[in-house]
Amino acid sequence: MTPSAAYTGRFAPSPTGPLHAGSLVAALASWLDARAAGGRWLVRIEDVDTPRCIPGADAFILRQLAACGLVPDEPPLWQSARGAAYQQALERLIAQGHAYPCACSRKDIEEAQLALGHARERHAALPYPGTCRNGLHGRTGRSWRFRVPAGLPPTDWTDRRLGAQQQDVASDIGDFVLRRADGLWAYQLAVVVDDAAQGITHIVRGEDLADNTPRQILLQRALGVPTPQYLHTPLVRGENGEKLSKQNGAQALDLGNPLRALEQAARALGLPALAHPHNTCTGDALAQWAAAWFRNYNGPS
């Protein structure tokens, strides 16, 4: 199949540990969506948060993907090599008045919100109250934030699985970080810059990342780059009901039986069971699921 220039997708794991059952669901979904559309599929290693990255995890993830028959159409891209591109984007945002320095720590933000009568909820970050929006007032800048436009209406987008979505970024999030106080690049900026540079037209990723979408749309608009189509996949949950993740002890995929791991991922995506699982190779299984993909998920336009 000749890849279509109209579709470029990607899988973007963080090398904080090996792939587990939950991350394979996102990898398989993004690969199937690209293949069913006759498009290109890329892999990007999102290693900007270096303190959380585990040496060798990136190479292991690539081996896991290859064992499952999920091979990218181009060599992988590492975000840790992209600092100059992120700096250029930040400078552009600063020059256009879309970014400003911030002196606030997390404690400063929490205290400012408490003074307004807002307490932090469990597992939820407090919206930034705009303390440094109009200058540092003698304090030293620690990070850089995106200036959410004043009077901005809620950001709308349509997810191919979840349907119509909306978030009021100004009230729910506030001005968000582009470069952290420790000098590391924030996820939102790095993702938007790299998606644009790689020509990503369709993003397929886990449902837990859906609330990042409106911030990324605002950055795309500010930087003048296209907004991809989005599809957020179902989450795989552990016995305690929480999302399966490396942080809560999710086990690495068993490379000894990649077809079994793929079958579990396909089941989570609502794809049909293989008619002859014991006599089907990985490549044939992937082809069957690619053919069935658009019966479950409306195809990209």
Side-chain angles (χ1 to χ4, degrees):
M1 181 180 294
T2 302
S4 168
Y7 185 113
T8 301
R10 49 76 162 173
F11 175 57
S14 298
T16 55
L19 295 183
H20 54 74
S23 44
L24 183 60
V25 168
L28 177 61
S30 63
W31 188 92
L32 290 173
D33 202 55
R35 290 295 178 260
R40 299 161 64 242
W41 185 71
L42 309 180
V43 170
R44 182 168 70 228
I45 303 297
E46 297 197 334
D47 58 347
V48 287
D49 194 353
T50 50
R52 295 182 59 236
C53 294
I54 297 175
D58 51 355
F60 192 75
I61 286 171
L62 294 173
R63 288 198 297 273
Q64 288 178 299
L65 291 172
C68 292
L70 309 180
V71 180
D73 294 312
E74 293 180 4
L77 179 77
W78 273 260
Q79 285 190 329
S80 55
R82 299 273 299 154
Y86 307 148
Q87 182 63 41
Q88 185 178 33
L90 177 60
E91 290 172 358
R92 180 177 176 183
L93 292 171
I94 294 169
Q96 296 173 340
H98 294 308
Y100 64 89
C102 176
C104 298
S105 65
R106 290 183 182 179
K107 183 179 179 182
D108 294 332
I109 296 170
E110 189 163 347
E111 289 177 348
Q113 288 288 12
L114 283 172
L116 296 171
H118 304 148
R120 185 172 69 86
E121 296 180 12
R122 186 170 179 262
H123 301 316
L126 286 166
Y128 181 66
T131 307
C132 299
R133 240 180 176 250
N134 298 314
L136 297 175
H137 305 293
R139 299 198 298 166
T140 301
R142 305 172 70 249
S143 62
W144 285 89
R145 289 184 179 272
F146 179 78
R147 186 188 300 274
V148 178
L152 181 77
T155 301
D156 299 291
W157 80 99
T158 301
D159 186 90
R160 288 170 48 209
R161 172 175 163 262
L162 302 175
Q165 302 290 304
Q166 184 182 85
Q167 185 185 70
D168 189 336
V169 179
S171 63
D172 294 349
I173 306 294
D175 297 339
F176 52 90
V177 173
L178 301 172
R179 190 163 194 174
R180 296 170 15 176
D182 57 9
L184 297 178
W185 295 102
Y187 167 77
Q188 310 296 353
L189 180 66
V191 165
V192 168
V193 170
D194 289 339
D195 283 339
Q198 293 186 285
I200 303 300
T201 60
H202 297 76
I203 293 175
V204 179
R205 59 188 181 188
E207 187 177 330
D208 56 316
L209 295 174
D211 67 349
N212 288 291
T213 306
R215 279 170 280 178
Q216 291 167 14
I217 290 173
L218 294 185
L219 276 174
Q220 290 156 1
R221 292 172 180 171
L223 289 168
V225 299
T227 294
Q229 292 190 35
Y230 291 92
L231 190 163
H232 289 87
T233 61
L235 297 182
V236 177
R237 300 187 182 276
E239 294 180 359
N240 61 0
E242 293 191 3
K243 172 202 165 188
L244 201 64
S245 69
K246 299 163 189 172
Q247 285 73 33
N248 63 21
Q251 297 298 306
L253 293 175
D254 180 6
L255 291 177
N257 195 338
L259 183 57
R260 180 183 299 169
L262 285 167
E263 284 185 286
Q264 292 174 346
R267 192 178 307 121
L269 291 166
L271 293 167
L274 297 174
H276 306 286
H278 301 296
N279 297 312
T280 302
C281 67
T282 298
D284 288 344
L286 291 171
Q288 289 181 45
W289 291 323
W293 179 253
F294 288 153
R295 291 202 293 269
N296 292 56
Y297 299 95
N298 55 303
S301 59

